[in-house]
Amino acid sequence: MLLEAFPDHLPGRAATEEEVLRCHEASLLELLRGVDRPTELEPSTIASETSFEAALLAAGTAIEAARRDAFALVRPPGHHARPRYAYGFCLLDNIAIATRALQAEGVGRVAIVDFDVHHGNGTQEIFCDDDSVFFASMHQWGIFPGTGGPDEQRETTLNVPLGPGLGDADWLAAFSERVVPAVLAFEPEVLLVSAGFDAHEEEDLYLVDQHVTTAGFRELARRCTELAPRVSAVLEGGYNVTNLPRLVEAALEGFSA
Protein backbone atom coordinates (compact mmCIF):
# COMPACT_ATOMS: atom_id res chain seq x y z
CA MET A 1 0.00 0.00 0.00
CA LEU A 2 2.78 2.44 0.87
CA LEU A 3 4.73 1.91 -2.34
CA GLU A 4 1.51 2.10 -4.36
CA ALA A 5 0.96 5.57 -2.90
CA PHE A 6 4.30 6.73 -4.32
CA PRO A 7 4.48 5.32 -7.85
CA ASP A 8 7.61 7.34 -8.68
CA HIS A 9 9.69 5.59 -6.04
CA LEU A 10 13.07 4.15 -6.98
CA PRO A 11 13.90 0.52 -6.20
CA GLY A 12 16.31 -0.21 -3.37
CA ARG A 13 19.07 -2.79 -3.17
CA ALA A 14 20.45 -5.23 -0.66
CA ALA A 15 23.21 -4.20 1.72
CA THR A 16 26.44 -6.13 1.51
CA GLU A 17 27.69 -8.07 4.48
CA GLU A 18 30.64 -5.67 4.68
CA GLU A 19 28.21 -2.76 5.07
CA VAL A 20 26.23 -4.56 7.77
CA LEU A 21 29.30 -5.67 9.71
CA ARG A 22 30.25 -2.06 10.37
CA CYS A 23 27.38 -2.04 12.90
CA HIS A 24 26.56 -5.66 13.75
CA GLU A 25 28.40 -8.79 14.85
CA ALA A 26 28.81 -11.63 12.35
CA SER A 27 26.86 -13.89 14.72
CA LEU A 28 23.68 -11.90 14.07
CA LEU A 29 24.06 -12.30 10.32
CA GLU A 30 24.58 -16.03 10.75
CA LEU A 31 21.49 -16.27 12.94
CA LEU A 32 19.30 -14.47 10.41
CA ARG A 33 20.74 -16.39 7.47
CA GLY A 34 19.92 -19.67 9.19
CA VAL A 35 16.22 -19.00 9.82
CA ASP A 36 14.25 -21.40 7.62
CA ARG A 37 10.82 -21.27 9.26
CA PRO A 38 8.84 -18.79 11.39
CA THR A 39 11.01 -18.36 14.48
CA GLU A 40 10.80 -16.26 17.64
CA LEU A 41 14.22 -14.63 17.94
CA GLU A 42 13.13 -12.95 21.17
CA PRO A 43 9.65 -12.21 22.57
CA SER A 44 9.06 -9.14 20.38
CA THR A 45 10.82 -10.28 17.19
CA ILE A 46 9.66 -12.93 14.75
CA ALA A 47 11.64 -13.94 11.66
CA SER A 48 10.93 -16.31 8.78
CA GLU A 49 12.81 -17.80 5.85
CA THR A 50 12.54 -14.51 3.88
CA SER A 51 13.50 -12.18 6.73
CA PHE A 52 17.25 -12.15 6.05
CA GLU A 53 16.65 -11.02 2.47
CA ALA A 54 14.16 -8.38 3.64
CA ALA A 55 16.56 -7.07 6.30
CA LEU A 56 19.40 -6.71 3.79
CA LEU A 57 17.09 -4.92 1.35
CA ALA A 58 15.92 -2.52 4.06
CA ALA A 59 19.48 -1.71 5.10
CA GLY A 60 20.74 -1.27 1.55
CA THR A 61 17.81 0.93 0.64
CA ALA A 62 18.55 3.09 3.68
CA ILE A 63 22.12 3.50 2.42
CA GLU A 64 20.95 4.59 -1.01
CA ALA A 65 18.46 7.03 0.49
CA ALA A 66 21.22 8.56 2.62
CA ARG A 67 23.40 8.95 -0.47
CA ARG A 68 20.57 10.62 -2.41
CA ASP A 69 19.13 12.76 0.42
CA ALA A 70 15.92 10.77 0.05
CA PHE A 71 13.40 8.88 2.21
CA ALA A 72 13.81 5.10 2.55
CA LEU A 73 10.39 3.44 2.71
CA VAL A 74 11.45 0.16 4.27
CA ARG A 75 10.35 -2.70 6.44
CA PRO A 76 11.45 -4.19 8.76
CA PRO A 77 12.25 -1.10 10.82
CA GLY A 78 15.67 -0.93 12.42
CA HIS A 79 16.27 1.36 15.38
CA HIS A 80 15.85 -1.30 18.09
CA ALA A 81 18.33 -3.76 16.55
CA ARG A 82 21.44 -4.06 18.71
CA PRO A 83 24.99 -4.88 17.63
CA ARG A 84 24.60 -8.59 18.46
CA TYR A 85 20.84 -9.07 18.64
CA ALA A 86 17.65 -8.55 16.69
CA TYR A 87 15.17 -6.82 18.97
CA GLY A 88 11.82 -5.07 19.03
CA PHE A 89 10.60 -6.06 15.52
CA CYS A 90 13.99 -4.92 14.14
CA LEU A 91 16.54 -7.25 12.55
CA LEU A 92 19.27 -4.84 11.41
CA ASP A 93 19.69 -1.17 12.32
CA ASN A 94 19.03 0.44 8.95
CA ILE A 95 19.88 4.02 9.90
CA ALA A 96 23.08 3.02 11.69
CA ILE A 97 24.23 1.01 8.67
CA ALA A 98 23.48 4.01 6.43
CA THR A 99 25.46 6.26 8.76
CA ARG A 100 28.52 4.03 8.61
CA ALA A 101 28.24 3.79 4.83
CA LEU A 102 28.37 7.58 4.52
CA GLN A 103 31.33 7.75 6.84
CA ALA A 104 33.14 5.08 4.84
CA GLU A 105 32.74 7.38 1.84
CA GLY A 106 34.28 10.37 3.59
CA VAL A 107 31.49 12.03 5.58
CA GLY A 108 32.79 12.98 9.02
CA ARG A 109 30.09 14.14 11.41
CA VAL A 110 26.59 12.65 11.20
CA ALA A 111 23.61 13.48 13.40
CA ILE A 112 20.65 11.14 13.82
CA VAL A 113 17.30 12.47 15.01
CA ASP A 114 14.75 9.83 16.02
CA PHE A 115 11.13 10.92 16.52
CA ASP A 116 9.58 7.47 16.70
CA VAL A 117 7.39 7.12 19.78
CA HIS A 118 9.71 4.37 21.04
CA HIS A 119 13.32 5.02 22.03
CA GLY A 120 15.94 4.02 19.46
CA ASN A 121 17.93 1.90 21.88
CA GLY A 122 19.81 -0.01 19.20
CA THR A 123 21.04 3.10 17.43
CA GLN A 124 22.12 4.59 20.74
CA GLU A 125 24.03 1.45 21.67
CA ILE A 126 25.84 1.24 18.33
CA PHE A 127 27.14 4.81 18.57
CA CYS A 128 27.43 5.24 22.33
CA ASP A 129 31.23 5.50 22.27
CA ASP A 130 31.57 7.30 18.95
CA ASP A 131 31.78 11.09 19.12
CA SER A 132 31.56 11.41 15.31
CA VAL A 133 27.83 10.55 15.50
CA PHE A 134 25.29 12.59 17.47
CA PHE A 135 22.12 10.72 18.44
CA ALA A 136 18.98 12.53 19.60
CA SER A 137 15.77 10.70 20.44
CA MET A 138 12.33 12.05 21.32
CA HIS A 139 10.02 9.34 22.61
CA GLN A 140 7.35 8.48 25.14
CA TRP A 141 9.05 7.54 28.40
CA GLY A 142 7.98 4.45 30.30
CA ILE A 143 6.98 2.23 27.39
CA PHE A 144 8.93 -0.27 25.27
CA PRO A 145 11.89 -0.67 25.25
CA GLY A 146 12.26 1.04 28.64
CA THR A 147 15.46 2.89 27.73
CA GLY A 148 16.17 6.52 26.90
CA GLY A 149 15.45 7.94 30.32
CA PRO A 150 16.38 11.41 31.55
CA ASP A 151 19.68 10.17 33.00
CA GLU A 152 20.85 8.59 29.72
CA GLN A 153 22.78 11.54 28.38
CA ARG A 154 26.30 12.13 27.16
CA GLU A 155 28.08 14.67 24.99
CA THR A 156 26.82 13.12 21.75
CA THR A 157 23.68 11.41 23.06
CA LEU A 158 20.53 13.38 23.82
CA ASN A 159 17.40 11.68 25.10
CA VAL A 160 14.19 13.68 25.37
CA PRO A 161 11.70 11.45 27.22
CA LEU A 162 8.13 12.69 26.97
CA GLY A 163 5.12 12.04 29.14
CA PRO A 164 1.85 10.55 27.86
CA GLY A 165 -0.99 12.54 26.36
CA LEU A 166 1.05 15.07 24.39
CA GLY A 167 0.31 16.65 21.03
CA ASP A 168 1.86 18.84 18.36
CA ALA A 169 2.67 21.82 20.56
CA ASP A 170 4.49 19.69 23.13
CA TRP A 171 6.51 17.70 20.59
CA LEU A 172 7.46 20.77 18.59
CA ALA A 173 8.44 22.69 21.71
CA ALA A 174 10.65 19.82 22.89
CA PHE A 175 12.23 19.62 19.45
CA SER A 176 12.97 23.35 19.30
CA GLU A 177 14.13 23.70 22.90
CA ARG A 178 16.18 20.50 23.27
CA VAL A 179 17.02 18.92 19.94
CA VAL A 180 17.71 21.96 17.76
CA PRO A 181 20.39 23.64 19.89
CA ALA A 182 22.16 20.36 20.62
CA VAL A 183 22.32 19.25 16.99
CA LEU A 184 23.34 22.68 15.72
CA ALA A 185 26.15 22.80 18.28
CA PHE A 186 27.41 19.46 16.94
CA GLU A 187 27.58 20.92 13.39
CA PRO A 188 26.78 17.76 11.42
CA GLU A 189 27.59 17.41 7.75
CA VAL A 190 24.56 15.16 7.31
CA LEU A 191 21.37 14.61 9.29
CA LEU A 192 19.62 11.25 9.12
CA VAL A 193 16.10 10.98 10.53
CA SER A 194 14.56 7.87 12.07
CA ALA A 195 11.06 8.84 11.00
CA GLY A 196 8.54 6.92 13.05
CA PHE A 197 4.87 7.85 12.87
CA ASP A 198 3.53 5.83 15.79
CA ALA A 199 3.05 8.96 17.91
CA HIS A 200 0.17 9.85 15.57
CA GLU A 201 -3.21 10.52 17.15
CA GLU A 202 -4.85 7.60 15.32
CA GLU A 203 -2.30 4.90 16.18
CA ASP A 204 -3.50 2.17 18.53
CA LEU A 205 -0.48 0.64 20.25
CA TYR A 206 -0.06 -0.84 23.71
CA LEU A 207 0.61 1.91 26.29
CA VAL A 208 1.27 4.55 23.60
CA ASP A 209 -0.61 7.76 24.36
CA GLN A 210 0.47 10.53 21.99
CA HIS A 211 -1.59 12.83 19.78
CA VAL A 212 0.70 14.20 17.07
CA THR A 213 -1.26 15.17 13.95
CA THR A 214 -0.36 14.93 10.29
CA ALA A 215 0.50 18.62 10.34
CA GLY A 216 2.73 18.02 13.36
CA PHE A 217 4.80 15.45 11.50
CA ARG A 218 5.06 17.80 8.52
CA GLU A 219 6.47 20.48 10.79
CA LEU A 220 8.86 18.11 12.56
CA ALA A 221 10.26 17.13 9.18
CA ARG A 222 10.56 20.75 8.09
CA ARG A 223 12.47 21.69 11.23
CA CYS A 224 14.86 18.80 10.61
CA THR A 225 15.90 20.43 7.33
CA GLU A 226 17.29 23.40 9.27
CA LEU A 227 19.82 21.26 11.14
CA ALA A 228 22.27 20.21 8.41
CA PRO A 229 23.07 20.91 4.75
CA ARG A 230 22.01 17.37 3.81
CA VAL A 231 19.00 15.50 5.23
CA SER A 232 17.56 12.07 4.55
CA ALA A 233 15.17 9.79 6.41
CA VAL A 234 14.45 6.13 7.08
CA LEU A 235 11.00 4.81 7.99
CA GLU A 236 10.69 3.35 11.47
CA GLY A 237 7.33 2.86 13.20
CA GLY A 238 3.85 3.68 12.01
CA TYR A 239 1.46 0.76 11.81
CA ASN A 240 -1.91 2.19 10.81
CA VAL A 241 -1.68 1.19 7.16
CA THR A 242 -4.58 3.45 6.20
CA ASN A 243 -2.91 6.57 7.58
CA LEU A 244 0.74 5.81 6.90
CA PRO A 245 0.84 6.96 3.25
CA ARG A 246 -0.51 10.41 4.09
CA LEU A 247 1.87 10.72 7.05
CA VAL A 248 4.84 9.88 4.84
CA GLU A 249 3.54 12.34 2.25
CA ALA A 250 3.33 15.05 4.91
CA ALA A 251 6.88 14.32 6.05
CA LEU A 252 8.11 14.46 2.46
CA GLU A 253 6.45 17.86 2.11
CA GLY A 254 8.24 18.99 5.25
CA PHE A 255 11.62 17.68 4.13
CA SER A 256 11.14 19.44 0.78
CA ALA A 257 10.03 22.80 2.20
Side-chain angles (χ1 to χ4, degrees):
M1 178 180 288
L2 189 58
L3 295 183
E4 291 174 359
F6 301 96
D8 295 331
H9 69 269
L10 299 175
R13 56 98 173 168
T16 67
E17 292 195 16
E18 178 184 5
E19 290 168 330
V20 173
L21 290 172
R22 295 180 183 130
C23 294
H24 294 285
E25 297 293 330
S27 59
L28 176 57
L29 282 177
E30 292 306 310
L31 173 67
L32 297 176
R33 183 185 285 110
V35 174
D36 60 2
R37 63 181 63 87
T39 301
E40 184 181 90
L41 302 179
E42 57 91 27
S44 61
T45 309
I46 303 296
S48 71
E49 61 274 12
T50 61
S51 294
F52 183 54
E53 178 184 10
L56 292 179
L57 285 169
T61 301
I63 292 171
E64 293 306 310
R67 287 171 171 165
R68 297 168 182 262
D69 300 345
F71 196 146
L73 303 181
V74 298
R75 284 286 190 265
H79 70 156
H80 296 310
R82 302 172 62 194
R84 297 177 58 191
Y85 306 105
Y87 186 66
F89 313 109
C90 301
L91 304 180
L92 300 173
D93 195 312
N94 305 316
I95 205 162
I97 293 167
T99 296
R100 287 296 190 223
L102 291 182
Q103 291 186 317
E105 296 168 359
V107 174
R109 299 166 71 80
V110 178
I112 299 170
V113 168
D114 187 329
F115 56 66
D116 190 280
V117 79
H118 302 98
H119 178 242
N121 62 295
T123 308
Q124 176 175 299
E125 184 174 349
I126 289 168
F127 297 116
C128 64
D129 295 320
D130 184 349
D131 289 340
S132 72
V133 178
F134 188 95
F135 176 67
S137 177
M138 299 172 57
H139 49 272
Q140 182 174 325
W141 174 232
I143 62 172
F144 183 90
T147 53
D151 296 331
E152 288 183 53
Q153 316 288 345
R154 60 185 297 273
E155 187 174 350
T156 53
T157 299
L158 172 67
N159 281 303
V160 184
L162 302 170
L166 305 184
D168 290 356
D170 307 287
W171 278 71
L172 292 169
F175 188 88
S176 293
E177 294 168 10
R178 300 287 308 281
V179 176
V180 169
V183 174
L184 289 178
F186 180 72
E187 298 182 338
E189 298 166 51
V190 178
L191 176 75
L192 302 184
V193 181
S194 274
F197 299 96
D198 37 8
H200 188 257
E201 59 185 350
E202 295 180 23
E203 282 281 348
D204 183 19
L205 297 173
Y206 179 65
L207 294 180
V208 170
D209 180 18
Q210 300 297 324
H211 306 281
V212 181
T213 69
T214 303
F217 282 114
R218 183 184 296 109
E219 181 61 15
L220 279 173
R222 188 196 68 77
R223 295 188 189 188
C224 285
T225 66
E226 300 175 344
L227 301 182
R230 292 177 54 191
V231 179
S232 61
V234 179
L235 181 63
E236 299 287 358
Y239 305 101
N240 184 320
V241 295
T242 301
N243 292 332
L244 189 56
R246 65 185 174 89
L247 296 177
V248 170
E249 182 178 17
L252 285 168
E253 292 168 354
F255 288 129
S256 301

